[in-house]
Amino acid sequence: MQDVGLKPPRSKTIHVAVCGNPNCGKTTIFNAITGLRQKVANYPGVTVEKTTGQFQLKDDPNIYTLIDIPGSYSLSAFSPDEYVAVQALLGELDKSAAPDLIVNIIDVTNIDRALYLLFQVMQIGKPVVVGLNMMDLADKRGLTIDIPRLEKELGGVPVIPLIGSRGKGIEELKAAIALQASVPHVPHRDFYHPLIGLTADKMIHQMQNGHVTRAEYLRVLFDINGPAEKAFIKEHGEKGKILLDDGRKSLIGEFGSLTIAETQSLTQRAAQVTEKSVHARRSTSRSRSEKIDKYLLHPVLGPIVLMLIMGFIFQSIFSWAEPIMNGIDSLFGALAGWVGSSMAEGPLQSLLVDGIIGGVGSVLIFLPQIIILFLFIAFLEDSGYMPRVAFLVDRAFSWCGLSGKSFIPLLSSFACAVPGIMATRVIEDRKLRIITILVAPLMTCSARLPVYAIMIAAFIPYTILLGFLNSHGVVLGMLYLLGLIVAVLVSLILKRTVLKTQRGTFMMEMPSYKVPTLQSILVRVFNRAKSFVLRAGTVILAITILIWALSYYPRAGDASTDYQSRIASIESTTSQQVAMIDAEISRLALSPEQQEASLFAGARFALVESPDELAAVRDELYLLRPDQLAAVELSHFRRTVELASLEQIATLENDRAGAHLRNSYLGRMGRTVEPLFAPLGWDWKITMATLASFPAREVIIATLGTIYNLGSGVDEGSSSLVQKMRDAKWEDGAKAGLPVFSPAVALSIMVFFALCCQCGATVVTIKQETGAWRYAIGVFIYMTVLAYLAAMLVYQLFSRIGW
Amino acid sequence: MTYLNKLNPGQRAKVVGYRHDSPIARRLTELGLIPGRTVTYLRNAPLQDPLEIQVGPSCLSLRHAEASLVAVEVEEPTSL
């Protein structure tokens, strides 16, 4: 509370970095502190995700901005991804948001190892607050922690006991952050061997580089060929190199190796600190997790349970998402219909209906699958089962350059590549993650199914093979297999060329099983969904509008007015006929009640569906007088006339839409590039429909529907589209008069769709997840080229054997 | 002296050192495979690779290729 006349204290932003080992419960605590006040972004140029959040305290004008530093066991960094986390912690990445204070979350059941990171973090020279998490587990494991003693052993660093899963200690942690942030001087706390400190200080002294912390010099010293060393040599050249070699030599002379120099001194100190402040009543067992693992990692039972869980997840992405997706679809369909009918026809109406509403709908349609998949992933990660999944299946993936961690992303991609690619965040290794992202779109996603369904049903002869396999199923299975095989080949090639991976790196912890907290799961799912809608959504919308414009313009006047006048003439003829019939009815001079009764009976007669109903209506008709019966007949006739005219108008409208599409820029493009697709056996209609389906492959069916003048409302079950396609003949050229579609053409279309990246959302998501357009464009190009070549091969092969 | 990947499930051994200093050796050290500590070889994955070990309070999973970097001294005969 401020007294009148006093200036309110100035509000400052205090940057707080939150670091800790993987699986220490850091994210749960981060979510508990900040709630939904979070922002997820990528660090520039790398795949590392950067989550920031905020909190404020009562009677404290400052805003505390928290940065979630990716979990790590040490500050030593060998890959750019690891280094970016270290740089964020050191404040080298964004000087304006350099941490003013560091919170180090420690899993109390693994305090030994966690202190190692803490000792390194203390070298940064910022105030540090320790959050001692999982205090409830400490009790169960028979650990007693003497907190004041621990604080003393750590040189006065405040230690706040926490139970992240129950939100206990969060307020105390916030208060400690605020208190430490206001401390003007940070005491020097060094847990390294004195010789290491001396070596580092010598380098700092000689380089006279005030802004670089001791922690960073230690990284230069210890991480051989690491990014810190490279940056140092680049900056200081030969002089720096000599100094560094000197320092390393003296350390190797004393300790034997650089790794031992750092790890030995720190782990010994960690053991000392633990010994004095943590008392174990009985041996620290992992009995509960170990008991569960007896079953879940059992050589036979383990894989069975895994398959059941994965089957369940996979099934739910499909079946739970589908009704919601249909709901979104029909909601946007209804919205489009409403807007379409309440606005005058024209470019603005079409932009709104087909461009914007259609585009927003095509973004939101992904949400159910993303949300469902990430509910499961958050649950699997928080419960501790995720590393077990990777453990169980790693061998099946490692031979072709992937890893067990690629399993869930790739499995999810069978439903939809967008959440699948987002799920690669569980893979820490950058190259591995990129390989997984690059092959994920080859998995047969659910959007390919309608295309396969209509092509197979229309053009693949149904036969029984080997007595039990039906040819339709075999072709479908082959298409799934094709995606898999190509994915394996691509990752084998990538592993050996562009993204050479180190020989196996699969070191990871198998955390204890935990019951996940609902809040943490929901926050994570919410962040995923939000970032997809905001970041991918905008680009997808832009692509949709671009394709809309290409297929809408130019609006040639002639064809349009011709159809307009024909429609108008049908309408006027119909209204004349209706007027005549009405006149006939009124000549019968029935009372209003009689007239209504006969109209009603007539309507019922028209709607008769079963013999029972017919009998009932007939009984009703017997009660009518002859003039009333005449009225019934007339009103029935009137209805027939109206329906016929509506049908004629619909046909004309469809013809008009087809003519427009043919004449549009997209249609012209289709005809221009037709020769390019001739080796695939395609005519310009297929070519154009395929071009139109690059933002979303399932669009091809609606586009084919429009080209074949069926209106755009057709779906994969449409028998009229099947018939139209079967009847389609080449319009000119050498094959004029011959059917366009044959089994070979259908196969070439399906193979093209199996391998091509016709999904704007996928391309945008790849850009978003890798932080670089070159991967997104790379995927698009390699898949399109591959699809083209494979489709050509298939057509040339099968058309020669007469398919 | 032998290497960690040569142990049988259930065997315990003491970490002696590493074949050579490398980023992988460093990461394993940070994960707790420090010379002098006792490790227990828990199990192989269903397809043999990777393997799971316990060191101190934590369980780690690593591939055989990585485990072959860790020199160990067997503490007691196979307890299976």
Side-chain angles (χ1 to χ4, degrees), chain B residues 2-9 11-13 39-41 72 74:
Chain B
T2 180
Y3 292 96
L4 183 55
N5 62 321
K6 297 279 197 301
L7 301 183
N8 293 317
Q11 260 186 323
R12 287 156 63 87
V39 297
T40 311
Y41 194 111
V72 294
V74 179

Side-chain angles (χ1 to χ4, degrees), chain A residues 287-404:
Chain A
S287 50
R288 194 175 55 118
S289 284
E290 200 32 52
K291 266 181 212 155
I292 300 176
D293 275 344
K294 279 233 161 62
Y295 301 102
L296 293 188
L297 297 184
H298 185 274
V300 179
L301 269 179
I304 294 176
V305 173
L306 176 72
M307 276 196 283
L308 289 177
I309 294 177
M310 291 303 132
F312 177 69
I313 294 178
F314 189 58
Q315 197 53 45
S316 17
I317 305 175
F318 266 119
S319 55
W320 295 358
E322 202 186 271
I324 312 173
M325 289 167 80
N326 290 342
I328 293 176
D329 206 28
S330 47
L331 192 74
F332 277 85
L335 186 66
W338 178 74
V339 173
S341 60
S342 55
M343 276 177 77
E345 213 168 288
L348 187 64
Q349 180 226 34
S350 179
L351 171 67
L352 265 180
V353 171
D354 297 325
I356 294 174
I357 297 178
V360 171
S362 69
V363 171
L364 295 186
I365 202 87
F366 286 105
L367 271 186
Q369 289 183 337
I370 290 177
I371 289 172
I372 290 171
L373 178 65
F374 275 94
L375 275 175
F376 283 115
I377 286 184
F379 185 84
L380 292 182
E381 278 190 321
D382 285 7
S383 68
Y385 188 61
M386 195 64 115
R388 270 105 180 154
V389 174
F391 178 78
L392 287 169
V393 302
D394 180 61
R395 189 69 190 84
F397 288 83
S398 59
W399 66 278
C400 63
L402 297 165
S403 114

Side-chain angles (χ1 to χ4, degrees), chain A residues 73-74 76 78 82 109-110 112-113 259 262 267 286 290 391 394-395 504-510, chain B residues 21 26-31 34 37 43 45-47 49-52 54 57-61 63 66:
Chain A
Y73 296 105
S74 109
S76 105
F78 294 97
E82 289 169 347
T109 63
N110 217 330
D112 245 28
R113 198 179 58 196
T259 296
E262 182 170 32
T267 46
R286 299 169 39 99
E290 200 32 52
F391 178 78
D394 180 61
R395 189 69 190 84
T505 45
F506 191 70
M507 296 161 284
M508 59 169 192
E509 195 178 359
M510 303 282 244
Chain B
D21 199 355
R26 167 171 267 279
R27 189 62 81 232
L28 289 172
T29 317
E30 289 161 359
L31 282 163
I34 298 154
R37 288 252 182 110
R43 58 172 64 82
L47 299 168
D49 207 15
L51 56 97
E52 191 189 5
Q54 178 167 2
S58 50
C59 291
L60 306 175
S61 147
R63 290 191 183 146
E66 290 147 9

